[in-house]
């Protein structure tokens, strides 16, 4: 599969974006055209009306003078008189002079012979054909009416409307092509991001690096990289568990198999059966440690709650005090004032503290082991045995590394502790000998206060 856009543009994001932009741009443009048409229509009517008012006031007196010249003194014409064309300089100005009975006394050559079909009152009025402005003489019972054809106004408005809509219709196809090209160019980075994601697999979980990502896609890329990091970590935990299991379980399994085979061959001798049970017990302990390590490395279900360190240390110590052979060696020291409260997972911290105590009991000889809770949020486990050298101290947290001559222990205890401490954002401090002692070993877990 490639990252190219499908041939069917209807199913592409670029196609959808193009159609949406065209519809919105065209709609906004059409609204703007309608607003311009409304404004132009208003301005055209305003200008024409102003022209009618100006012409009527300028021509009324001239029309009355001409009417006086054309009429016989005291006579009222049976038919309206037509003014000479050269009377006014304005072209095609249609007017009438009428009396209060709506009888036309004087008109222009272009005006109709009958009075305009509008109320005889000062101001503007419309009929089907004309826009008419009427002026009344202040003393005489005469009215002067100037008319403008409505067709001229409609024609001017139509010219404006067509002048705006025709370019819009002509530009829309070009606009569609431009928007489609712009959408494809801008979304190309999305295709590249999809292509990079498609390349990732269980064997390639490298972070995605695409320069120039917009802010929205940069957020998507960051989330994808975070997901890849978590997936890579989960796979590493799985591989580590497999490797640790292969390394740690091979010897006790072989020993148990050999002991049981020997027991079968020698009629179930008691010593061989006991040795097989011891090997299976070692296998059980190592399996438990491997599961602890796997849980710690995965960070699965680690809670963030308030942990009373005095209660935690007391619960762990009580587990060991139940063994009569250990109870006399293990001591617990807590502060006299308020108990320190840390933020973390109580089960995971108990596993870490238990591993420290087991290591101290195993490697500290037969001497005393102390669990101490210190302010502000520290758990310390110290023994007073032989301790370790500076070179050995640097490698204590490495897996499968054992420093006792009898190869007792699993080589995983401090590795588990270190992983749990790291997941809590805390510190693991190792010292040999402890401060103020001539020999021994001390491990401190420094936690964050709740």
């Amino acid at each position: 599969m490639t990252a190219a856009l499908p041939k069917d543009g209807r199913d592409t994001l670029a196609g959808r974006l193009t159609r949406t932009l065209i519809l919105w741009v065209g709609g906004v443009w059409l609204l703007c055209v309608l607003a311009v048409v409304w404004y132009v229509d208003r301005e055209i009517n305003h200008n024409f009306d102003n022209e009618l008012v100006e012409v009527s006031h300028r021509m009324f007196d001239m029309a009355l003078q001409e009417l006086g010249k054309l009429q016989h003194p005291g006579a009222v014409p049976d038919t309206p008189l037509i003014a000479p064309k050269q009377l006014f300089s304005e072209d095609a100005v249609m007017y009438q002079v009428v009396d209060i009975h709506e009888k036309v006394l004087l008109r222009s050559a272009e005006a109709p012979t009958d009075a305009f079909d509008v109320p005889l009152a000062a101001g503007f009025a419309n009929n089907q054909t004309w826009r008419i402005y009427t002026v009344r003489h202040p003393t005489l019972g005469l009215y002067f009416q100037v008319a403008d054809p409505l067709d001229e106004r409609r024609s001017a408005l139509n010219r404006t409307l067509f002048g705006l809509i025709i370019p819009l219709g002509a530009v829309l196809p070009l606009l569609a092509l431009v928007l489609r090209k712009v959408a494809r160019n801008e979304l190309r980075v999305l295709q590249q991001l999809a292509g990079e994601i498609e390349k990732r697999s269980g064997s390639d979980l490298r972070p995605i690096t695409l320069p120039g990502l917009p802010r929205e896609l940069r957020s998507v890329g960051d989330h994808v990289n975070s997901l890849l990091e978590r997936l890579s970590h989960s796979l590493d935990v799985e591989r580590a568990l497999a490797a640790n299991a292969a390394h740690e379980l091979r010897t006790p399994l072989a020993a148990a198999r050999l002991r049981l085979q020997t027991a079968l061959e020698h009629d179930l001798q008691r010593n061989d059966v006991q040795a097989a049970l011891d090997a299976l017990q070692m296998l059980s302990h190592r399996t438990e440690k491997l599961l602890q390590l796997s849980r710690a490395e995965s960070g699965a279900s680690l809670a963030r709650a308030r942990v009373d360190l005095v209660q935690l240390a007391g619960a762990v110590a009580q587990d060991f005090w139940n063994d009569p052979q250990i109870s006399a060696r293990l001591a617990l020291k807590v502060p006299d004032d308020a108990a320190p409260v840390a933020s973390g997972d109580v089960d995971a911290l108990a596993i870490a503290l238990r591993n420290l105590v087991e290591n101290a009991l195993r490697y500290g000889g037969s001497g005393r082991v102390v669990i101490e809770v210190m302010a502000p949020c520290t758990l310390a486990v110290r023994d007073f045995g032989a301790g370790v050298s500076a070179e050995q101290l640097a490698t204590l947290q490495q897996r499968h590394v054992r420093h006792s001559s009898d190869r007792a222990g699993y080589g995983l205890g401090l590795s588990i502790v270190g992983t749990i401490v790291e997941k809590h954002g805390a510190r693991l401090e190792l010292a040999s000998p402890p401060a103020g002692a001539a020999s021994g070993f001390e491990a401190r877990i420094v936690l964050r206060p709740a």
Side-chain angles (χ1 to χ4, degrees), residues 215-258:
R215 182 169 53 188
E216 296 81 2
L217 290 184
R218 193 182 310 124
S219 175
V220 173
D222 291 341
H223 289 311
V224 170
N225 284 337
S226 177
L227 178 61
L228 290 174
E229 182 180 358
R230 292 196 297 272
L231 180 58
S232 176
H233 179 68
S234 298
L235 291 176
D236 289 342
V237 170
E238 180 182 343
R239 297 188 188 102
L241 177 61
N244 291 335
H247 183 277
E248 293 292 333
L249 304 182
R250 184 184 301 114
T251 300
L253 281 174
R257 186 171 59 249
L258 178 61

